[in-house]
DNA sequence: TTCATTTGTAACTATAATTGTTACTAATAC
DNA sequence: GTATTAGTAACAATTATAGTTACAAATGAA
């Protein structure tokens, strides 16, 4: 099924929570909106919790809520929290070290991958969960950035 | 095995060809440097050929060579030629259309994916095969990074 | 013309990652 | 105490990738 959707689902989850304000959401409720199994949601919530983006509580009337304001959560933080994977993979097998190109290409590709990831991060750090929520709200409860 | 290495291998192949100058390389020779099966190489060469980056010829003393100068081939062209896949995937199942967030989140994520891909492309369009080759040559024709 | 060589491509296998699922434990509120 | 919920382990189903074998089509050389 490869090509992972954890980042997309994480953004969805956090947007739901931003909309719910401080009210904790249960993994069942979130799963209903995302249209998947609650365990899939809890796995991602666990990563978001370890990254300090959400706070969860077990027990009756438990659930999860944002650990900070929606305008303090950038998509870069989300991208790093869930392991979204690299933009491209390097060689499956190490190249031939006896070839002048094979010997050095991995280092070169590694540096390129770093630059590409930085390009991704520059974009993601400019977008917040608040911004995503506002881009979704048809109108009405939309609110200015604080 | 997911997370595809076609872009990495394509850059490797083109760098070999840049170094070989106009001499056509056989898929066997390339496979030896990349350390994989010649068919894997030919599959990628086929994509590069369709994109007009290389020229191939069947038959005895055939092989493939660059279709243009190494400084005219950007990594963006390579990235587009091989299907490197998206930076992140959207929802595996469509979200719940009855939820205000579920209804609109896919569009928002799509726009974010577009921006991210543009971030990737801005980086890749600045790097050419010539630059990769120079960053690899141990010395002699080596040149300072720019 | 004939033959060896090479690409192009189809078909199949093995591997690995993801998502979905069930089942259970631990924590918490009422 | 009891019901509820998160956290997590274990496993199945799906899917993409890379590797492999096999063969047709094209080409150049004898």
């Amino acid at each position: 099924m490869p090509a992972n959707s954890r980042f997309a689902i994480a953004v969805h989850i956090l947007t739901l929570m931003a909309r719910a304000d401080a009210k904790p959401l249960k993994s069942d409720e979130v799963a209903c909106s995302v249209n998947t199994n609650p365990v899939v949601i809890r796995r991602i919530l666990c990563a978001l919790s370890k990254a300090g983006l959400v706070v969860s509580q077990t027990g009756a009337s438990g659930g999860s809520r944002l650990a900070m304001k929606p305008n303090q959560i950038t998509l870069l933080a989300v991208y790093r929290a869930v392991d979204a994977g690299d933009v491209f993979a390097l060689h499956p097998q190490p190249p031939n070290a006896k070839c002048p190109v094979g010997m050095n290409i991995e280092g070169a590709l590694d540096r390129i991958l770093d630059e590409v990831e930085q390009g991704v991060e520059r974009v993601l750090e400019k977008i917040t969960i608040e911004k995503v929520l506002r881009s979704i709200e048809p109108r009405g409860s939309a609110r200015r950035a604080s």
Side-chain angles (χ1 to χ4, degrees), chain A:
Chain A
M1 190 176 291
N4 104 33
S5 61
R6 287 192 289 268
F7 173 75
I9 296 181
V11 171
H12 186 151
I13 294 172
L14 294 168
T15 305
L16 284 170
M17 289 182 179
R19 198 156 172 282
D21 211 9
K23 175 167 172 282
L25 299 181
K26 303 185 207 320
S27 60
D28 270 10
E29 299 170 313
V30 174
C32 179
S33 173
V34 174
N35 191 17
T36 185
N37 190 291
V39 175
V40 172
I41 301 300
R42 292 206 288 270
R43 280 203 280 248
I44 292 170
L45 278 172
C46 186
L48 296 175
S49 167
K50 277 174 184 149
L53 301 180
V54 306
V55 173
S56 298
Q57 189 146 66
T58 61
S61 76
S64 306
R65 59 181 175 76
L66 298 186
M68 54 187 86
K69 292 187 187 143
N71 66 9
Q72 294 175 306
I73 302 179
T74 67
L75 297 196
L76 175 54
V78 180
Y79 186 75
R80 286 179 170 157
V82 302
D83 185 19
D86 292 324
V87 175
F88 61 83
L90 301 185
H91 294 59
Q93 306 296 334
N96 187 344
K98 288 175 190 153
C99 163
V101 172
M103 176 188 298
N104 295 300
I105 193 76
E106 280 192 305
L109 285 165
D110 237 341
R111 289 188 294 273
I112 292 165
L113 181 53
D114 275 351
E115 286 184 54
V116 169
E117 293 283 4
Q118 281 170 33
V120 169
E121 298 188 351
R122 275 192 295 272
V123 172
L124 293 179
E125 77 187 349
K126 296 205 185 89
I127 310 176
T128 64
I129 291 296
E130 186 191 35
K131 209 164 157 185
V132 175
L133 177 59
R134 278 206 313 243
S135 80
I136 276 180
E137 293 280 277
R139 194 117 311 253
S141 68
R143 198 146 286 236
R144 310 281 317 210
S146 62

